[in-house]
Amino acid sequence: MKGWAPLPLIAWGLVWPSHTVQILRLSWCILVFWVERGVFYMATSTCDLPPHNASFRVLIISDPQVIGLHSYKSFSRGMTALVSHVSDQYIRKAWLAITRQGIGASLWRGPRPADIVVFLGDMTDRGRWFLKYDLWSQLQARWKALFQGMQLLRHASSLPLRPRTAHETWPALVVPGNHDIGLPQFETGEAGPGTARAKSWFEQEHAPLVNDQYVLSEHGQPSWNARIPIAVSGHAATHELVLLDALDLVSMEPIGHEVPWEIAKKNAARTTRLVDTLRQNVTVPRILFSHVPLERKEAEHSCDIPWRSAIHGVHRESRRASARGGDIFQGGDADRTYQNLVRTNVSNYVLDSIQPAVVFSGDDHDHCEALHKGIRTTLHGHVAGFTAADVPELTVKSISMVEGVRRPGYAWLQLNSDAPMDYIPCLLPDQVGLWLFVYVPCFIATVLYLTWWRLSLRSHAYLPVHRDMSTALNKTALAKRVLRDMAHTALFPLLLWLCLQR
């Protein structure tokens, strides 16, 4: 049993090391909690709309793009698993902070919870290519698990929707993205090769059930085109959310192909029927949700509305145009897996017919706040700060950290009973920046400090070194002491970090 004698001493040293190591350990625990939770709760706490006595709040999230096994063909299986884990954890931490769940949520004051969540598509990165239901279902289960407490709203359990008093769960609507169901073939309007099964599965499990007027129904047909009436106060609808299948809209006027208007409408019959149903028949303000942004006029090629950017402080990261704030340019790929914008004729058709007060889109991953001027002829509601004739469109940032933006984001929309509606884009922390400019410098500083501390306290070392020993032996002993101090310092911060990954 003599070999076991040092174990109690080692255990005591791990739990109760020197005061210096204990202070470093506590500092690292605070740092880990701050980086893994605090910065997320702080970011979401500082982004909100002014409270209103009677309001309905919509949380808008775009492009989670949960990574699948074949998302990155150049990555090894292990690297894909690592990137997938890191990306999933970021989305999970962001969602917990936005909805005020998880460890530390009670320490932070945040916005009132959402009455409904709208996802703007691209829920997974390669969902459209699955041919086996089990594999497809596993990937779908992953994004649902990341958004803890979220429940898809598919039936008309209580219409019109009203502000909620309890927020144990968050009802959610999904519009499809090109990564979810692919683009239809413009010649027929049908799903392309390799996407038909995934498109059918996604619709059957996620699409709202609507009646012949596209309103949520208990026993309707699944459709990506839907109308959801909202009653901010009283029992009558005061606003209406309109979901459009943007992929149908893209297929009506694809890049490089001319499709006669009558044939285009026929190939996108389900979507154009809703648009025609809503044409000029505006009784309440409408809010339009589309995965793909609408094309704007030549004179409006900027993603910054200066006075709005001065209020919310969110700017476009990419600078793809000479104008300040850049722009989203029309484009696509030869395989027709995506198209950057719904083209001009179709965009005008949608805006003129639906007369939305505001449009929300995704797909681009980056922030873009555009303005469609002089579109509306109705005076039913508008967005605060804009004239009733103009339609602002907010392209919402991706909530994922691996989609080309350093600061991911989301958006809030607030519908008020007796005041103009309002929205605000919000930013999330820069995860790569936290690693490079917080964790790495603090780690280097800790190593340097422990080395300096041990050099100044050689007489108190764990392993005494005689003066006649060689310089190399002294350096080896010093390195061992510093490594031991690092291990003692890292014990509890590492356990806390692991706990926060659950």
Side-chain angles (χ1 to χ4, degrees):
M1 296 296 293
K2 290 183 179 180
W4 292 92
L7 288 180
L9 294 177
I10 295 174
W12 178 263
L14 286 173
V15 178
W16 297 108
S18 66
H19 291 301
T20 298
V21 171
Q22 290 184 51
I23 292 172
L24 287 174
R25 177 185 286 177
L26 177 61
S27 300
W28 267 98
C29 284
I30 295 172
L31 180 69
V32 167
F33 182 81
W34 175 252
V35 171
E36 300 299 322
R37 285 293 187 275
V39 291
F40 287 87
Y41 287 114
M42 185 181 72
T44 56
S45 294
T46 55
C47 187
D48 196 12
L49 291 164
H52 193 273
N53 292 333
S55 63
F56 185 96
R57 294 172 62 87
V58 184
L59 173 62
I60 305 164
I61 293 175
S62 183
D63 297 84
Q65 292 211 17
V66 172
I67 296 171
L69 181 60
H70 303 290
S71 292
Y72 304 106
K73 294 182 179 180
S74 60
F75 283 10
S76 66
R77 193 182 186 95
M79 180 59 71
T80 300
L82 175 62
V83 174
S84 175
H85 173 77
V86 170
S87 174
D88 285 3
Q89 286 299 320
Y90 185 92
I91 294 173
R92 176 178 168 273
K93 289 185 287 188
W95 172 256
L96 292 176
I98 294 169
T99 56
R100 288 302 178 274
Q101 302 180 74
I103 298 176
S106 59
L107 301 177
W108 298 86
R109 230 178 125 185
R112 196 190 88 199
D115 294 302
I116 194 169
V117 183
V118 178
F119 291 99
L120 292 175
D122 280 358
M123 308 309 296
T124 63
D125 184 63
R126 295 180 65 85
R128 64 177 180 256
W129 282 298
F130 279 89
L131 299 178
K132 293 183 178 180
Y133 177 79
D134 290 345
L135 297 177
W136 176 88
S137 182
Q138 289 173 14
L139 191 58
Q140 300 301 313
R142 272 181 55 203
W143 75 258
K144 292 178 184 177
L146 294 178
F147 297 99
Q148 182 177 316
M150 179 275 300
Q151 290 188 351
L152 290 180
L153 176 65
R154 304 190 64 199
H155 306 277
S157 55
S158 58
L159 286 181
L161 296 181
R162 296 178 177 82
R164 301 163 64 228
T165 56
H167 299 280
E168 291 82 9
T169 61
W170 286 265
L173 297 163
V174 176
V175 298
N178 55 298
H179 283 261
D180 300 315
I181 65 175
L183 294 182
Q185 299 181 72
F186 66 90
E187 301 93 341
T188 62
E190 299 299 325
T195 65
R197 292 184 184 179
K199 178 179 179 179
S200 174
W201 295 332
F202 200 78
E203 183 177 65
Q204 291 300 318
E205 294 198 11
H206 301 102
L209 302 181
V210 302
N211 58 24
D212 57 357
Q213 294 298 309
Y214 292 93
V215 178
L216 284 183
S217 172
E218 290 296 334
H219 305 288
Q221 296 297 317
S223 171
W224 294 120
N225 303 289
R227 304 163 58 193
I228 297 89
I230 306 295
V232 176
S233 60
H235 298 283
T238 58
H239 300 76
E240 187 174 61
L241 309 184
V242 179
L243 312 183
L244 273 191
D245 185 350
L247 307 182
D248 263 358
L249 299 178
V250 166
S251 70
M252 291 175 67
E253 201 174 19
I255 296 174
H257 300 278
E258 297 296 330
V259 181
W261 187 249
E262 295 76 12
I263 295 177
K265 289 190 68 174
K266 181 181 178 181
N267 291 344
R270 290 198 299 180
T271 302
T272 56
R273 183 174 178 271
L274 170 59
V275 176
D276 290 338
T277 298
L278 296 175
R279 187 171 185 82
Q280 303 295 335
N281 184 24
V282 183
T283 57
V284 296
R286 291 170 177 157
I287 299 90
L288 176 61
F289 297 92
S290 165
H291 175 67
V292 182
L294 304 179
E295 195 159 48
R296 59 291 321 259
K297 298 175 183 177
E298 289 292 334
E300 298 167 5
H301 279 309
S302 174
C303 283
D304 268 345
I305 302 175
W307 68 269
R308 288 283 301 173
S309 298
I311 294 174
H312 53 62
V314 182
H315 297 270
R316 187 169 179 79
E317 291 186 24
S318 60
R319 302 287 179 178
R320 291 188 282 241
S322 58
R324 175 176 171 80
D327 191 20
I328 302 174
F329 284 130
Q330 184 61 274
D333 61 337
D335 295 330
R336 295 204 73 251
T337 62
Y338 72 91
Q339 184 172 305
N340 292 343
L341 297 167
V342 176
R343 294 185 69 185
T344 304
N345 290 336
V346 182
S347 296
N348 292 340
Y349 162 66
V350 169
L351 291 170
D352 292 340
S353 299
I354 297 179
Q355 295 279 293
V358 60
V359 179
F360 293 95
S361 55
D363 189 57
D364 185 69
H365 303 169
D366 203 355
H367 168 83
C368 185
E369 195 168 17
L371 188 61
H372 304 281
K373 295 183 178 179
I375 298 295
R376 303 182 75 215
T377 59
T378 177
L379 299 178
H380 289 287
H382 65 284
V383 177
F386 295 95
T387 65
D390 295 340
V391 180
E393 177 178 349
L394 177 65
T395 299
V396 181
K397 279 195 165 198
S398 169
I399 197 174
S400 171
M401 60 166 284
V402 294
E403 296 306 317
V405 289
R406 292 289 296 270
R407 297 289 304 273
Y410 61 101
W412 283 108
L413 167 68
Q414 185 166 276
L415 309 177
N416 302 315
S417 61
D418 55 358
M421 69 184 75
D422 203 358
Y423 69 84
I424 184 171
C426 301
L427 291 175
L428 291 166
D430 175 3
Q431 182 67 80
V432 175
L434 291 172
W435 290 336
L436 294 180
F437 304 115
V438 178
Y439 275 150
V440 171
C442 288
F443 174 77
I444 295 173
T446 301
V447 173
L448 292 176
Y449 178 78
L450 286 174
T451 303
W452 171 83
W453 178 63
R454 277 300 171 191
L455 283 171
S456 63
L457 295 177
R458 285 195 178 189
S459 60
H460 302 289
Y462 294 127
L463 300 175
V465 180
H466 297 290
R467 294 181 182 274
D468 57 350
M469 286 188 177
S470 66
T471 302
L473 189 57
N474 273 280
K475 290 181 179 180
T476 300
L478 176 65
K480 288 181 178 179
R481 294 174 193 139
V482 172
L483 287 175
R484 183 178 299 174
D485 289 336
M486 286 295 299
H488 290 177
T489 300
L491 175 63
F492 288 139
L494 182 59
L495 291 176
L496 174 62
W497 183 86
L498 291 172
C499 178
L500 294 176
Q501 306 308 303
R502 296 173 61 85

